[in-house]
Amino acid sequence: MKKLIINISFVLVAATSLVSCKKALEDKFYNPEKARDASVPGLFTAMLNNDRVAAKYWNVRTFLCQMPGVYAQTSYFPNAISVYQQNDGYSQNYWDDFYATGGNGSGSMAQYRSMEVKFKTLSDAEKATQAIIMQAAKVVLIEQAAKMVDLWGDIPYSETGSLETSSTIVNPKFDEQKALYTSFISDLTTAAAYFKANPTNKDFSKADILLKGDVNQWVRYANSLRLRLLMRISKVDEGTARTAVLDMLNNPSAFPLIDGGNNPSYNPGASDVLLQPLTNSTSDLRAAFMEGSWYATDYMLNTVMLPANDPRIPVIYDKYGRIVKIDKKDVFVPNKTYKAMPVTMIASEQETKFADYSVLDSATFLFNQKLPGIVITASEVNFLKAEAFERWGSSASAQTAYGNALRQSVTFYYYLNNLNQGGGYVNVQAPDAATIDTWVNTSSAAYAGTSANKLANIYTQKWVHLGVLQSTEAWSEYRRTGFPVLTFPADGKLSGFDTPPNRLIYPGKEKILNAANYQAVQAKDTRKTKIFWQP
């Protein structure tokens, strides 16, 4: 098992007037590769070109597979004594990449604050043109800020960015997490209404490397993100969530969603919110996964997918195998079946027996240079709809949404696999409708039993769909719903770290550099403190 850790040093830069990104698309988009004047469109392009969203080595290797993927078991993890202990350096990197540019993210907050400053200097005519960009930037900021809340709880937000806004450094307070979620949901409502009422324009289309200035898609994106956040709070503020969600779901023309038109054979590239890789990108995730996280996960494969004969298995996993001597030649002999290492297997066994078990699919995950960053998909939205209908509405409507979600998940993962063209890979053909219908209707994934059984299936199948690439969302949903019911080996773990945390501990630099404001949240800063939306 490869455990090489690549140390990458970088300096976080607070100023955001110069933008460094990854590709040249001068004709259609602002060039994120070259330094630009701090224009609103240029800063927006930089904000979108975020390596914490894109399928990039650093985020997958040091964060997704190190912490949320381990805590949600969407990533394989070595059964070591410190496996549930937060990596302070890597979590500090993630925190810094939200607030400042120059690291392995775009500095969403710093970019947005610089956009606000620049927007105030524009003429009325320029403001009329670029107001739509500011609305889109707010949606992008909220999507990233909500993840920060989901990871840490209270975070600095309303008072951040003093360097950009006033050329002074003022240490910001930690905003209360529930109040932040309330403001996020309200702002998303406003943004969706704005996109619904206003046309796109040339500046927006050129700056928008995410959705190409398509206001219809931005309406759906804002509404879908709002749906995600409302369902996130629904276990602790059911009244608010139920009223708002049912209003959305009962009025689809007023509140369109990223749901693929409820079509199982939808086109993820056109429907989902995906950050496509830059056209000259040649990077992939082989190093990120092969440094210890490319093995199949026990519960997902052995307990959920294999018993159901899940049609996604061939594009999510590979059987793997061993190289053996046959006639004095090295020959790779694949394993006969798919299976994952048991989660209880001790580290020494994992080291010697891993070749006898399945791994992540190479074409889909490891060597796929076309793998997009996943923001939100039709399958996730239909799982959210299914949960809402089952809890508050029609079980028949819930079953329809659930079936759509399962079928769209199949479509999505085969789409990812088939993006990887050439390189000796043979793309896997999607199964026929009859095979998928059998899985949806008659396997252990079928929508059957009590309402509690049905909800358990919704939660578990959504966790499978989110998988390793959306492990931050998977961890949030696992903490919110309690599903799937996972086993976490506790024997031999460090004292105080024998189970996964409920939240991440605040980074060390924040405690030191923002010490006065940290005092207000210090009592909450334990690994067992719940995020406010946890029941």
Side-chain angles (χ1 to χ4, degrees), residues 389-462:
F389 283 132
E390 183 60 41
R391 289 172 62 186
W392 307 318
S394 161
S395 190
S397 297
Q399 183 171 5
T400 298
Y402 176 76
N404 286 336
L406 288 181
R407 293 179 174 92
Q408 288 174 333
S409 185
V410 174
T411 299
F412 179 75
Y413 276 100
Y414 279 85
Y415 161 78
L416 293 183
N417 176 268
N418 280 267
L419 287 173
N420 194 355
Q421 300 288 331
Y425 291 103
V426 178
N427 299 117
V428 182
Q429 184 175 355
D432 59 34
T435 299
I436 298 173
D437 286 344
T438 298
W439 169 61
V440 172
N441 297 324
T442 64
S443 75
S444 55
Y447 206 69
T450 66
S451 182
N453 294 143
K454 294 171 181 176
L455 286 170
N457 261 5
I458 292 170
Y459 299 146
T460 300
Q461 290 295 335
K462 179 165 61 173

Side-chain angles (χ1 to χ4, degrees), residues 102-137:
N104 286 279
S106 70
S108 300
M109 177 61 79
Q111 302 282 14
Y112 183 76
R113 292 297 186 226
S114 292
M115 290 176 68
E116 287 184 312
V117 171
K118 185 64 178 179
F119 187 76
K120 290 178 181 179
T121 69
L122 301 179
S123 67
D124 289 344
E126 290 171 321
K127 286 180 178 178
T129 298
Q130 298 186 17
I132 193 169
I133 301 177
M134 295 302 299
Q135 287 290 341

Side-chain angles (χ1 to χ4, degrees), residues 25-31 36 39-46 48 115 118-119 122-134 136-137 194-195 199-215 218:
L25 288 176
E26 294 290 357
D27 292 338
K28 295 180 67 176
F29 301 114
Y30 284 94
N31 180 2
R36 306 181 50 83
S39 68
V40 169
L43 289 165
F44 180 56
T45 301
L48 292 174
M115 290 176 68
K118 185 64 178 179
F119 187 76
L122 301 179
S123 67
D124 289 344
E126 290 171 321
K127 286 180 178 178
T129 298
Q130 298 186 17
I132 193 169
I133 301 177
M134 295 302 299
Y194 184 94
F195 292 125
T200 191
N201 59 59
K202 182 177 65 176
D203 284 351
F204 183 36
S205 297
K206 186 175 181 179
D208 181 12
I209 61 172
L210 183 66
L211 296 174
K212 301 178 177 61
D214 185 338
V215 289
W218 279 96

